[in-house]
Amino acid sequence: MAQQRAHHFSQILLADGWARDVRIVCTGGVCASIAIEVPASAGDERHTIGIPGLPNLHSHAFQRGMAGLAERRGLTDDSFWTWRDVMYRFVDRIRPEDLQAIAALAFIEMLESGFTRVGEFHYLHHDIDGIANANLAIMAEALVAAAHDTGIALTLLPVFYAHSGFGGLAPQFGQRRFICDLEQFGRLLEGAAAAVATLPDGIVGVAPHSLRAVTADELKRLLTMSPTGPVHIHIAEQIREVEDCVHATGVRPVEWLLDTVAVDERWCLVHATHMTDDEARRLAATGAVAGLCPITEANLGDGIFNAGPFLSAGGRYGIGSDSNILIDATEELRWLEYGQRLADCARNCLSTGQGASTGGGVFATALAGGGQALGASSTLAVGAPLDFLTLTADHPSLADRTNEDILDSWIFAAGRCAIDSVWRRGERVVSEGAHRYRPRIEQRYRGVVRRLLA
Ligand SMILES: [Zn+2]
């Protein structure tokens, strides 16, 4: 018989809003029942403030290993493209066991900061010389092993990457570990799906890397290879990318994608930074999710998302840690709002209406959008995995807070240090801010980084 345990919360954010004195019975990692306004029973695990864990919809876990190593000014104007050169040099040395060690550290930092599911946009496929491994999915298996090591829920998004630029340009030397043809990618996808099937709540999608890396024909054939499940793509992150797209196709990237394939609720357009108002409204109408990564977009100098017309048209978004330069759910949400404030010289830009809480709005939108983009439930409801965080009610910034004021004060004032514990499938994986396996995962990570940087 599956293990059963009950939790009692003084306040918790459920699927239909905040509730008091809530008792959740967890059976086999899943919410079996939720009762509201009931007292705790003897033996219940007691919590003061509970909120659902957030989905992190976009990560390249291996990049955690180079965080902070591209922050020196170069000879020429630094840009996304000079950062990418550093990334390509780092990537050249990573073997499967290195990837597992780096990803495990990134995943425990995600859990510690409030993310309970990650969408891993995975393009590091081949051996260090660029030759395909006998087991094509060996690097995907390393990511799955890191998810097993840490307990995080994984949506794996194997990336199809074939070209270096618009018009099917031949790949560059630095991209040799990423490149597949469609036949090889089909086998890789099968192997990745078999690995993910070993995880509780594991999901597989597919990710055409970007419009630079796939042709229209390849994109259409890729969609037939993965007819259900999430579809993620990097798009319109950089102005040069928009210019190259206009030069090659006559139209802008988001416009081209919407004209070329049937974008729907399965899709997540990662960044979508440089959209005209018309593109933003058209994207919103598809029901697809915009995958926003404010910390990375600031770090790489990408630009600021055109939120006004997108949200006015009912657009959906979620947040991602992308380059993992800094892993922190509240900081992503805070910078999402602050970017808009700085651009518009205004306040409470992402609030959903007069009097509505901005923290409550960005949290609820990122929760729903992230869940949709990763093909998983993200709210606390019967039948869903019991994934939640507890906040420490004695943090001074949370003193006497209730309902949405808790989220405003957590996101804008307290930050991640107010997280007390994190639970995945009803099991405590983080206590007093630290993952239960942090010492051993951190030690393994230090050994790998020492070798990679030697
Ligand atoms: Zn990315």
Side-chain angles (χ1 to χ4, degrees):
M1 194 180 144
Q3 203 190 352
Q4 196 170 76
R5 188 176 195 182
H7 298 259
H8 188 273
F9 299 85
S10 306
Q11 300 185 72
I12 187 166
L13 179 59
L14 298 174
D16 48 7
W18 284 92
R20 283 181 169 272
D21 291 313
V22 174
R23 190 166 187 265
I24 299 181
V25 176
C26 175
T27 305
V30 169
C31 297
S33 67
I34 300 178
I36 296 170
E37 293 180 10
V38 294
S41 300
D44 285 2
E45 190 77 47
R46 297 192 186 207
H47 313 283
T48 312
I49 303 170
I51 53 178
L54 274 168
N56 174 4
L57 58 63
H58 187 69
S59 157
H60 311 282
F62 77 86
Q63 292 176 13
R64 173 64 183 84
M66 56 169 281
L69 294 180
E71 307 299 326
R72 286 171 188 263
R73 190 164 184 158
L75 280 174
T76 55
D77 286 349
D78 277 24
S79 67
F80 169 87
W81 310 99
T82 54
W83 170 86
R84 195 179 71 161
D85 289 341
V86 174
M87 187 267 282
Y88 283 179
R89 287 199 296 278
F90 182 76
V91 96
D92 271 355
R93 309 189 70 180
I94 298 175
R95 297 175 187 278
E97 59 273 25
D98 305 326
L99 179 60
Q100 181 180 344
I102 297 170
L105 185 83
F107 292 170
I108 65 169
E109 291 179 344
M110 290 173 197
L111 286 161
E112 288 170 351
S113 89
F115 292 120
T116 49
R117 173 176 289 275
V118 59
E120 187 57 30
F121 194 103
H122 164 56
Y123 58 85
L124 184 54
H125 300 315
H126 304 316
D127 205 351
I128 50 177
D129 50 12
I131 296 177
N133 292 293
N135 171 6
L136 277 170
I138 194 168
M139 298 298 267
E141 288 171 4
L143 292 166
V144 170
H148 275 295
D149 288 346
T150 59
I152 202 163
L154 177 67
T155 296
L156 187 64
L157 301 153
V159 172
F160 177 76
Y161 200 133
H163 309 286
S164 67
F166 290 91
L169 286 183
Q172 298 170 4
F173 182 75
Q175 296 164 339
R176 67 197 183 286
R177 299 190 69 182
F178 319 153
I179 303 300
C180 285
D181 61 26
L182 282 165
E183 183 279 326
Q184 191 181 44
F185 183 74
R187 286 185 286 131
L188 193 154
L189 197 55
E190 248 171 57
V196 169
T198 66
L199 285 167
D201 315 319
I203 289 169
V204 180
V206 70
H209 178 272
S210 57
L211 298 184
R212 303 190 300 274
V214 300
T215 63
D217 284 349
E218 286 164 344
L219 183 58
K220 288 172 185 166
R221 285 182 57 196
L222 204 55
L223 293 173
T224 66
M225 290 163 69
S226 182
T228 58
V231 183
H232 287 219
I233 188 167
H234 287 132
I235 197 158
E237 180 178 6
Q238 288 283 321
I239 290 169
R240 190 175 105 189
E241 176 195 345
V242 175
E243 290 168 352
D244 288 352
C245 184
V246 172
H247 182 73
T249 68
V251 292
R252 301 167 62 85
V254 172
E255 201 178 357
W256 183 90
L257 186 73
L258 298 180
D259 288 346
T260 307
V261 290
V263 171
D264 60 17
E265 295 185 352
R266 292 168 61 204
W267 283 75
C268 176
L269 274 65
V270 180
H271 305 302
T273 311
H274 300 286
M275 289 193 290
T276 61
D277 291 1
D278 185 52
E279 285 178 297
R281 283 190 288 264
R282 283 187 66 195
L283 176 59
T286 66
V289 172
L292 309 179
C293 309
I295 296 175
T296 296
E297 287 156 7
N299 184 265
L300 296 180
D302 290 342
I304 293 175
F305 181 70
N306 190 5
F310 182 72
L311 296 182
S312 303
R316 304 170 190 182
Y317 64 80
I319 53 165
S321 63
D322 194 2
S323 70
N324 296 313
I325 175 76
L326 176 72
I327 297 173
D328 189 328
T330 54
E331 190 148 337
E332 295 289 0
L333 294 171
R334 191 158 61 243
W335 276 101
L336 184 60
E337 166 67 21
Y338 282 174
Q340 302 295 320
R341 291 188 189 192
L342 290 166
D344 294 350
C345 300
R347 298 190 74 247
N348 296 315
C349 302
L350 300 177
S351 168
T352 50
Q354 193 177 2
S357 147
T358 301
V362 293
F363 186 88
T365 309
L367 185 70
Q372 178 185 320
L374 298 183
S377 61
S378 54
T379 52
L380 291 166
V382 171
L386 183 58
D387 300 345
F388 65 94
L389 350 171
T390 64
L391 302 182
T392 171
D394 44 10
H395 190 289
S397 295
L398 299 181
D400 293 312
R401 303 297 198 273
T402 56
N403 302 346
E404 257 73 26
D405 284 347
I406 292 172
L407 292 171
D408 282 329
S409 299
W410 179 49
I411 293 166
F412 294 106
R416 65 178 290 177
C417 66
I419 296 176
D420 178 42
S421 65
V422 180
W423 299 68
R424 235 306 273 161
R425 290 188 67 82
E427 253 189 74
R428 193 198 317 249
V429 293
V430 171
S431 301
E432 295 177 7
H435 190 277
R436 57 185 169 174
Y437 303 139
R438 178 172 259 283
R440 99 164 110 89
I441 286 171
E442 192 178 306
Q443 190 185 23
R444 182 174 63 170
Y445 170 84
R446 285 177 188 280
V448 165
V449 168
R450 191 172 303 130
R451 192 183 67 71
L452 289 175
L453 298 183

Short mmCIF file of all heavy atoms in Angstrom, two decimals, residues 58 60 234 270-271 322, ligand 1:
data_model
loop_
_atom_site.label_atom_id
_atom_site.label_comp_id
_atom_site.label_asym_id
_atom_site.label_seq_id
_atom_site.Cartn_x
_atom_site.Cartn_y
_atom_site.Cartn_z
N HIS A 58 12.80 26.93 -18.48
CA HIS A 58 13.89 26.96 -19.47
C HIS A 58 15.24 26.96 -18.78
O HIS A 58 15.61 27.94 -18.12
CB HIS A 58 13.76 28.19 -20.35
CG HIS A 58 14.73 28.21 -21.50
ND1 HIS A 58 14.64 27.33 -22.56
CD2 HIS A 58 15.81 28.99 -21.76
CE1 HIS A 58 15.62 27.57 -23.42
NE2 HIS A 58 16.36 28.57 -22.95
N HIS A 60 19.53 25.50 -19.29
CA HIS A 60 20.63 24.72 -19.86
C HIS A 60 21.54 24.43 -18.66
O HIS A 60 22.39 25.25 -18.30
CB HIS A 60 21.41 25.51 -20.91
CG HIS A 60 20.53 26.16 -21.94
ND1 HIS A 60 19.96 25.46 -22.98
CD2 HIS A 60 20.11 27.43 -22.08
CE1 HIS A 60 19.24 26.29 -23.72
NE2 HIS A 60 19.31 27.49 -23.19
N HIS A 234 13.86 28.75 -29.01
CA HIS A 234 14.42 30.09 -28.74
C HIS A 234 13.98 31.01 -29.89
O HIS A 234 14.13 30.63 -31.05
CB HIS A 234 15.95 30.07 -28.82
CG HIS A 234 16.66 29.40 -27.69
ND1 HIS A 234 17.66 28.49 -27.91
CD2 HIS A 234 16.56 29.55 -26.35
CE1 HIS A 234 18.15 28.10 -26.74
NE2 HIS A 234 17.50 28.71 -25.78
N VAL A 270 10.65 30.84 -26.26
CA VAL A 270 11.58 31.27 -25.22
C VAL A 270 12.19 32.62 -25.61
O VAL A 270 12.71 32.77 -26.72
CB VAL A 270 12.67 30.22 -24.99
CG1 VAL A 270 13.64 30.67 -23.92
CG2 VAL A 270 12.05 28.88 -24.62
N HIS A 271 12.12 33.57 -24.71
CA HIS A 271 12.54 34.97 -24.83
C HIS A 271 11.47 35.81 -25.56
O HIS A 271 10.84 36.62 -24.94
CB HIS A 271 13.91 35.14 -25.51
CG HIS A 271 14.99 34.34 -24.85
ND1 HIS A 271 15.32 34.50 -23.53
CD2 HIS A 271 15.80 33.33 -25.32
CE1 HIS A 271 16.29 33.66 -23.20
NE2 HIS A 271 16.59 32.94 -24.26
N ASP A 322 17.36 29.70 -17.57
CA ASP A 322 18.16 29.72 -18.79
C ASP A 322 19.64 29.42 -18.58
O ASP A 322 20.04 28.28 -18.42
CB ASP A 322 17.93 31.07 -19.50
CG ASP A 322 18.44 31.07 -20.93
OD1 ASP A 322 18.93 30.03 -21.39
OD2 ASP A 322 18.37 32.13 -21.60
ZN ZN B 1 18.22 29.19 -23.72
#
